């Protein structure tokens, strides 16, 4: 089982804030945290893609990711996940090919159709309905695979048109960087995952993940793809401390993690909260389900306590 960690791009008081010890984002904190994760032996670093979250600064995803490439040596780097509506697909392919070059072949491209309409509209983007956003994302993935592997690309889709597009230098990875799709929509997202993805990322209980994997397998049967060849990654926010008393003290700082209201976005997630022993026991059920990677967001960012304790006493068991 692999382990990756989110480096947040926003903080502060808002309905989306989940960081107990951080009221503003700064590049020095992000940089030092990313370097620490590499030193601790984590397999990957994810960076969210938003323009306006929290009540203060929000750093841009792909720029932040490129900066983290400069302070790490071996970790996989990935946007989690790119909001396709905020990028012109072929330019995204070009940008990510360059990030793979800069990082020495460590990019994984996480793709999504987005969900936060207000930030897109604030920046002047159109915000179509979910089916159109997902079909557009699918065309971006199709075009990206070709741009990364072919010398000159023509593409005539409903959302993208390319005429003799060249995307060299190609990525370092052969034949191309892996593509991860995030989301659990059963009609569109999981169908696109079955057809195009190397990895699928989602969140929630073991029971929910098991159900979604069954739906994904059905789509794979439709396309004749191998469901076992698609990696599964699971996202969770994490509070880990040596003792239950320390866990309770941190929960006092972020009480929404105790019993979120049904309309709270956090109610959809299954968070990892507890001592190393309780968290390791819970992760066993995800490993048994076939989860290949766990993507974590430590609530005590930018402190080192959470990632250090997890690496020493949980990650070492897997």
């Amino acid at each position: 089982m692999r382990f990756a960690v989110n480096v947040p791009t926003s903080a502060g008081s808002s309905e989306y804030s989940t960081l107990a010890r951080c009221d503003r984002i700064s590049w020095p904190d992000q940089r030092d945290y990313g370097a620490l994760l590499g030193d601790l032996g984590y397999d990957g670093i994810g960076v969210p893609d938003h323009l306006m979250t929290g009540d203060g600064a929000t750093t841009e995803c792909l720029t932040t990711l490129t900066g983290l490439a400069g302070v790490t040596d071996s970790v996989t780097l990935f946007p989690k996940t790119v909001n396709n509506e905020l990028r012109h697909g072929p330019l995204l392919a070009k940008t990510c090919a360059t990030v793979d070059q800069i990082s020495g072949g460590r990019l994984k491209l996480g793709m999504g159709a987005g969900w936060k309409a207000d930030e897109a509209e604030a920046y002047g983007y159109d915000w179509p309905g979910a089916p159109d956003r997902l079909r557009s994302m699918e065309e971006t993935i199709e075009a990206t695979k070709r741009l990364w592997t072919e010398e000159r690309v023509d593409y005539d889709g409903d959302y993208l048109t390319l005429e003799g597009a060249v995307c060299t230098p190609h990525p370092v990875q052969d034949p191309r960087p892996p593509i991860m799709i995030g989301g659990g929509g059963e009609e569109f997202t999981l169908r696109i995952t079955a057809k195009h993805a190397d990895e699928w990322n989602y969140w929630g209980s073991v029971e929910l993940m098991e159900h979604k994997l069954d739906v994904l397998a059905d789509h794979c049967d439709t396309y004749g793809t191998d469901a076992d060849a698609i990696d599964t990654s699971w996202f969770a926010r994490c509070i880990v401390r040596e003792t239950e008393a320390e866990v309770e003290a941190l929960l006092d700082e972020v009480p929404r993690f105790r019993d979120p209201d049904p309309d709270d976005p956090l109610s959809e997630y299954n968070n990892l909260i507890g001592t190393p022993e309780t968290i390791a026991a819970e992760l066993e059920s995800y490993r048994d389900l076939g989860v290949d990677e766990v993507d974590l967001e430590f609530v005590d960012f930018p402190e080192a306590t959470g990632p250090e304790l997890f690496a020493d006493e949980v990650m070492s068991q897997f």
Side-chain angles (χ1 to χ4, degrees):
M1 186 179 271
R2 304 186 304 270
F3 292 91
V5 179
N6 265 15
V7 172
T9 56
S10 65
S13 300
S14 82
E15 67 272 34
Y16 304 111
S17 179
T18 55
L19 305 177
R21 304 286 176 81
C22 182
D23 59 7
R24 62 182 294 275
I25 281 293
S26 71
W27 166 242
D29 283 344
Q30 294 171 312
R31 177 197 62 209
D32 295 347
Y33 196 74
L36 170 70
L37 298 174
D39 292 342
L40 290 173
Y42 284 94
D43 299 287
I45 293 175
V47 176
D49 184 26
H50 285 291
L51 303 175
M52 295 165 47
T53 48
D55 61 357
T58 303
T59 64
E60 194 277 327
C61 169
L62 296 174
T63 313
T64 304
L65 199 70
T66 306
L68 292 171
V71 297
T72 56
D73 296 318
S74 59
V75 294
T76 298
L77 302 163
F78 58 99
K80 187 189 168 301
T81 53
V82 164
N83 179 347
N84 183 64
E85 291 300 311
L86 303 182
R87 308 293 191 293
H88 178 56
L91 180 59
L92 174 65
K94 180 70 171 179
T95 302
C96 288
T98 303
V99 174
D100 199 59
Q101 285 278 339
I102 290 171
S103 66
R106 293 188 283 133
L107 174 76
K108 174 170 67 179
L109 175 56
M111 291 293 299
W115 58 271
K116 197 170 185 295
D118 61 343
E119 61 182 353
E121 292 167 350
Y123 269 71
Y125 289 97
D126 293 331
W127 191 253
D132 280 312
R133 299 201 312 272
L134 285 157
R135 292 188 186 101
S136 175
M137 180 187 76
E138 183 172 18
E139 289 195 3
T140 291
I141 293 170
E142 289 176 344
T144 294
K145 288 181 176 180
R146 293 187 56 196
L147 286 163
W148 281 350
T149 57
E150 299 177 19
E151 293 303 313
R152 190 175 297 271
V153 177
D154 296 327
Y155 184 94
D156 186 15
D158 294 326
Y159 303 89
L160 291 177
T161 300
L162 302 180
E163 296 181 7
V166 176
C167 184
T168 54
H170 285 150
V172 172
Q173 296 178 71
D174 185 20
R176 58 170 176 79
I179 293 175
M180 177 185 80
I181 293 177
E186 297 181 8
E187 180 179 358
F188 288 101
T189 303
L190 293 180
R191 177 193 65 78
I192 296 168
T193 300
K195 190 175 182 181
H196 298 291
D198 303 292
E199 181 177 330
W200 170 65
N201 181 269
Y202 202 50
W203 52 85
S205 66
V206 170
E207 293 76 19
L208 178 60
M209 291 289 291
E210 184 174 27
H211 166 71
K212 297 293 185 182
L213 284 168
D214 287 341
V215 175
L216 177 58
D218 288 341
H219 284 300
C220 287
D221 287 342
T222 298
Y223 288 111
T225 55
D226 182 4
D228 292 336
I230 301 173
D231 273 9
T232 298
S233 55
W234 174 69
F235 172 75
R237 293 182 174 90
C238 185
I239 294 174
V240 59
R241 288 294 188 268
E242 288 279 10
T243 67
E244 290 291 351
E246 291 175 291
V247 172
E248 286 296 312
L250 188 50
L251 281 170
D252 285 342
E253 299 184 52
V254 275
R256 65 182 301 195
F257 278 97
R258 291 185 182 277
D259 292 299
D261 294 331
D263 60 349
D264 189 314
L266 283 181
S267 66
E268 301 176 3
Y269 294 82
N270 182 29
N271 301 297
L272 286 175
I273 298 174
T275 64
E277 293 77 16
T278 58
I279 286 176
E282 185 168 1
L283 285 175
E284 288 285 356
S285 60
Y286 285 92
R287 180 166 65 177
D288 292 343
L289 184 62
V291 169
D292 301 286
E293 179 174 294
V294 175
D295 296 336
L296 302 162
E297 184 172 276
F298 288 101
V299 171
D300 59 353
F301 173 89
E303 290 183 15
T305 306
E308 286 180 345
L309 183 59
F310 191 97
D312 290 343
E313 298 192 26
V314 180
M315 193 164 70
S316 58
Q317 299 184 46
F318 295 85

